[in-house]
């Protein structure tokens, strides 16, 4: 929750960038793609402030906080259980990289699957300001109305729209975040003069934020587009049939680098988010009398 609050404006900017120039909109005859000029990270962020207001940089933060209660709670408990009980460490407290990779991916999949409804609402609410500027009617009055409307229109399945690319992204991000943090931290503690302290936690979280951004950005672009696409009365997407179809359309219509739209704000967000999360998490464990991660 602390990490989400501190870095949410970058998350919003990243989502807006990922939607820019969406080639598939041509199917619907939507003129937004042609009329809206491409804006980079700074111009997108400044545009949100100028056109919608400063506080709109936190539009969608409530479902983001809900998401992390479920997602971060689920992934951390799952990863540590896998590490300590299922896979187990060696006698010298070494945890093999391959076990860490599998554990990180499984933890991400489980945590994100549980949190998918909150992520769906977050992405759609982040795009409400853009809809207002385009003269389109707003879809939601607030967070709870968004949950109720999606549930009424698509049923329980509607709340899990886009869950496949979402868990694909979560698997890659957590392979980068959890695996990198765990591996770098224990390598530093066991092989250097550094101790298990805030400096080690900070250095490890910097590494994990960069790796998570590199691995997770393409899947994040696909996830955001699938979740934000218009749907018919049966809840079926009108632009993409699957995550594979979304990848193909993006690459064919916009080029391969379209999969890395929003990478800069994603990286700038992920690195401080990772630092805030891990430093807070380790401190809470310490204050609670629990051994370090």
């Amino acid at each position: 929750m602390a990490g989400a609050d501190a870095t949410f404006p970058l998350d919003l900017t990243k989502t807006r960038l990922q939607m820019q120039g969406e080639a598939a909109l041509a199917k619907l005859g939507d003129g937004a793609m042609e009329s809206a000029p491409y804006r980079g990270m700074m111009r997108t962020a400044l545009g949100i402030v100028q056109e919608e207001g400063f506080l709109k940089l936190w539009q969608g933060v409530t479902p983001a906080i809900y998401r992390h209660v479920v997602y971060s709670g689920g992934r951390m408990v799952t990863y540590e259980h896998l590490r300590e009980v299922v896979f187990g460490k060696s006698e010298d407290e070494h945890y093999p990289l391959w076990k860490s990779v599998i554990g990180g991916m499984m933890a991400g999949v489980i945590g994100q699957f549980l949190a998918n409804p909150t992520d769906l609402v977050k992405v759609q609410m982040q795009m409400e300001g853009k809809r207002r500027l385009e003269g389109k009617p707003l879809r939601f009055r607030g967070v709870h109305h968004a949950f109720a409307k999606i549930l009424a229109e698509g049923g329980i399945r509607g709340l899990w729209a886009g869950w496949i690319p979402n868990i694909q992204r979560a698997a890659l991000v957590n392979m980068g975040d959890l695996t990198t943090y765990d591996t770098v931290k224990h390598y530093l503690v066991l092989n250097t003069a550094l101790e298990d302290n805030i400096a080690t936690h900070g250095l490890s979280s910097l590494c994990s934020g960069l790796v998570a951004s590199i691995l997770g950005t393409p899947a994040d672009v696909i996830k955001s587009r699938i979740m934000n696409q218009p749907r018919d009365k049966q809840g079926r997407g009108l632009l993409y049939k699957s995550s594979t179809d979304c990848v193909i359309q993006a690459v064919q219509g916009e080029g391969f680098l379209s999969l890395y739209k929003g990478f800069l704000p994603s990286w700038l967000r992920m690195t401080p988010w990772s630092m805030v999360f891990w430093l807070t998490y380790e401190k809470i464990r310490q204050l609670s009398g629990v051994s370090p991660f």
Side-chain angles (χ1 to χ4, degrees), residues 39-265:
R39 302 198 289 191
M41 183 187 77
M42 292 303 298
R43 289 183 62 194
T44 298
L46 288 173
I48 293 170
V49 173
Q50 293 171 350
E51 297 161 2
E52 303 171 42
F54 178 75
L55 292 180
K56 291 300 182 180
L57 288 171
W58 277 269
Q59 183 163 339
V61 71
T62 302
I65 291 173
Y66 290 169
R67 170 182 179 265
H68 277 292
V69 171
V70 180
Y71 168 66
S72 289
R75 74 181 184 124
M76 297 309 297
V77 170
T78 300
Y79 182 82
E80 197 156 11
H81 178 76
L82 291 172
R83 185 183 67 180
E84 304 296 335
V85 179
V86 179
F87 293 139
K89 295 181 180 178
S90 59
E91 293 182 0
D92 61 354
E93 291 298 302
H94 176 68
Y95 191 51
L97 179 61
W98 69 268
K99 290 184 178 181
S100 185
V101 168
I102 295 174
M105 294 182 74
M106 290 179 64
V109 166
I110 292 171
Q112 189 57 72
F113 180 77
L114 295 174
N116 196 81
T118 56
D119 211 13
L120 176 67
V121 170
K122 184 199 78 167
V123 168
Q124 295 200 7
M125 289 193 68
Q126 285 178 327
M127 298 304 296
E128 287 296 271
K130 184 172 181 287
R131 289 177 62 87
R132 182 187 293 110
L133 293 176
E134 293 173 351
K136 298 176 181 177
L138 297 183
R139 294 172 290 189
F140 314 117
R141 295 192 299 270
V143 179
H144 300 104
H145 177 245
F147 278 111
K149 184 176 180 181
I150 294 171
L151 184 62
E153 293 178 352
I156 293 293
R157 290 183 61 185
L159 291 171
W160 267 266
W163 71 272
I164 293 178
N166 213 3
I167 66 170
Q168 290 169 342
R169 171 194 175 273
L172 293 170
V173 167
N174 280 275
M175 183 173 67
D177 183 36
L178 285 172
T179 300
T180 302
Y181 181 86
D182 198 15
T183 302
V184 171
K185 175 189 168 182
H186 287 93
Y187 176 84
L188 293 174
V189 171
L190 295 174
N191 298 281
T192 71
L194 292 174
E195 298 180 354
D196 195 343
N197 54 28
I198 192 170
T200 303
H201 302 161
L203 184 58
S204 302
S205 62
L206 284 173
C207 295
S208 67
L210 175 60
V211 176
S213 296
I214 293 172
L215 293 177
T217 296
D220 195 28
V221 171
I222 302 306
K223 178 264 299 187
S224 295
R225 291 189 173 192
I226 287 179
M227 285 186 160
N228 190 60
Q229 69 175 324
R231 298 181 178 276
D232 61 19
K233 294 181 179 180
Q234 286 72 44
R236 294 173 298 197
L238 299 177
L239 298 179
Y240 311 111
K241 299 175 183 177
S242 64
S243 55
T244 303
D245 181 44
C246 185
V247 170
I248 293 172
Q249 290 196 52
V251 173
Q252 289 181 343
E254 305 162 54
F256 176 77
L257 290 181
S258 65
L259 297 178
Y260 277 90
K261 281 184 176 180
F263 172 77
L264 183 57

